[in-house]
Amino acid sequence: MTYPTVSASNAGSQTAQPTVVVSVVSHGHGAMIERLLRQMARLGTPAISRVVLTQNLPEPAPQPEQNDWPFVLELRCNPSPLGFSANHNAALAGATENYVCVLNPDVEWAKDPMAALLRAVALPGVGIAYPLQLDAQGQQQDSEREVPTPWSLLRRYGCRRKELRAEWVNGAMWLLPRGVWQQVGGLDVRYFMYCEDVDFCLRVRLAGYTLARAQASVEHAGQRDSHRHWRSTLWHIRSLLRLWTSGVFWRSRTLLRQIPASALTITE
């Protein structure tokens, strides 16, 4: 499928190495997108050379506060809505930057997280670097979780047991070496919504990489639509069934049992 593309011109100065391409998908999140892009423009490291904004629904293009964005803004307008995986895969296909970043539109930057993410992702064996996620009150969010199994979900929601193993991290903000993204093959488009981030983290681990929490934080309060809308609940159930019947899930169970909780992630 071909998408119309509009690119904003670069601010003029050469970007420093390494370079990062950021993929953001908007589902009518116009105000959030504009706020996020302006935060990135004010606070972001010069390593961010390109931002690919995919508009899943028709909406106006975001406008910069100054004359132009300090990065190339590539606008992709979908003729019909696509899922999380398909949108990010299309946005990052053919990337030439050193690193790729998957970023949710409802993330907010109070400080620049990218410099710390770049340090963390450069550590030996790291496949994904990610920031700590906080809510608006500064409370840590449960972005690092155990792989969902019927038993772990029962303990989580039925017994309200706190999870102790960070086996995967949600896809609100990831930074990866381009080579890792390409080696793993991007996100699995069979997951239209939900569990695509679980599956991806497991495939990164099966490829021999680990996850690293950077010394940085962003504000992100998960929407948890599957707790409120029946259609999202059905999508969530369908994705869980796909995950539980996948080879990735069963191979990863063997791998993860061999890794102590303290070694599941590393800290920059």
Side-chain angles (χ1 to χ4, degrees), residues 18-22 95 97-101 118 121-122 175-178:
T19 54
V20 178
V21 54
V22 179
E97 291 83 358
N98 305 110
Y99 297 97
V100 301
C101 177
L118 285 166
V121 80
L175 183 70
L176 302 90
R178 184 186 76 237

Side-chain angles (χ1 to χ4, degrees), residues 36-81:
L36 175 60
L37 289 175
R38 290 181 177 185
Q39 289 170 349
M40 293 171 63
R42 291 195 304 267
L43 304 170
T45 170
I48 301 175
S49 58
R50 184 165 60 103
V51 176
V52 183
L53 170 59
T54 303
Q55 293 181 326
N56 227 18
L57 298 171
E59 57 185 318
Q63 299 301 314
E65 291 179 310
Q66 305 299 325
N67 293 331
D68 208 344
W69 303 104
F71 38 72
V72 173
L73 178 63
E74 183 178 312
L75 185 62
R76 301 168 66 89
C77 307
N78 285 350
S80 58

Side-chain angles (χ1 to χ4, degrees), residues 3 92 100 164 211 228:
Y3 302 96
L92 298 174
V100 301
L164 302 176
L211 314 182
R228 299 193 298 266

Side-chain angles (χ1 to χ4, degrees), residues 21-267:
V21 54
V22 179
S23 173
V24 187
V25 180
S26 176
H27 305 270
H29 292 97
M32 285 184 179
I33 291 289
E34 193 152 295
R35 181 175 62 232
L36 175 60
L37 289 175
R38 290 181 177 185
Q39 289 170 349
M40 293 171 63
R42 291 195 304 267
L43 304 170
T45 170
I48 301 175
S49 58
R50 184 165 60 103
V51 176
V52 183
L53 170 59
T54 303
Q55 293 181 326
N56 227 18
L57 298 171
E59 57 185 318
Q63 299 301 314
E65 291 179 310
Q66 305 299 325
N67 293 331
D68 208 344
W69 303 104
F71 38 72
V72 173
L73 178 63
E74 183 178 312
L75 185 62
R76 301 168 66 89
C77 307
N78 285 350
S80 58
L82 298 175
F84 182 93
S85 298
N87 277 317
H88 285 297
N89 286 355
L92 298 174
T96 58
E97 291 83 358
N98 305 110
Y99 297 97
V100 301
C101 177
V102 172
L103 182 60
N104 273 15
D106 56 349
V107 168
E108 293 196 47
W109 293 10
K111 297 180 180 178
D112 171 29
M114 191 60 70
L117 287 167
L118 285 166
R119 291 194 300 270
V121 80
L123 296 173
V126 171
I128 300 175
Y130 61 94
L132 186 68
Q133 295 177 28
L134 308 174
D135 64 15
Q137 289 71 46
Q139 297 298 309
Q140 182 175 343
Q141 299 294 282
D142 59 345
S143 57
E144 302 163 311
R145 304 179 197 170
E146 296 176 7
V147 172
T149 66
W151 294 115
S152 69
L153 292 175
L154 177 62
R155 291 194 300 268
R156 176 182 174 86
Y157 295 108
C159 305
R160 302 295 179 182
R161 185 185 73 87
K162 183 178 179 181
E163 293 174 316
L164 302 176
R165 292 173 60 84
E167 296 176 334
W168 66 282
V169 62
N170 70 24
M173 187 173 187
W174 290 336
L175 183 70
L176 302 90
R178 184 186 76 237
V180 173
W181 175 265
Q182 294 173 341
Q183 177 185 348
V184 175
L187 293 153
D188 189 336
V189 297
R190 292 176 297 178
Y191 295 93
F192 179 79
M193 187 179 296
Y194 304 110
C195 294
E196 61 276 280
D197 43 7
V198 184
D199 169 82
F200 186 79
C201 286
L202 295 182
R203 285 189 287 121
V204 167
R205 288 194 183 279
L206 288 169
Y209 302 99
T210 190
L211 314 182
R213 184 205 283 180
Q215 294 290 335
S217 64
V218 295
E219 183 180 318
H220 178 253
Q223 299 299 307
R224 308 297 167 92
D225 282 347
S226 65
H227 298 181
R228 299 193 298 266
H229 304 299
W230 67 267
R231 180 176 295 179
S232 296
T233 300
L234 291 177
W235 278 334
H236 203 166
I237 292 171
R238 183 172 63 182
S239 292
L240 282 170
L241 292 175
R242 180 178 296 281
L243 178 70
W244 293 338
T245 56
S246 70
V248 168
F249 175 82
W250 291 105
R251 291 196 304 273
S252 69
R253 299 314 297 151
T254 301
L255 172 68
L256 290 170
R257 289 190 191 102
Q258 301 169 357
I259 305 176
S262 59
L264 281 167
T265 61
I266 62 176
T267 303

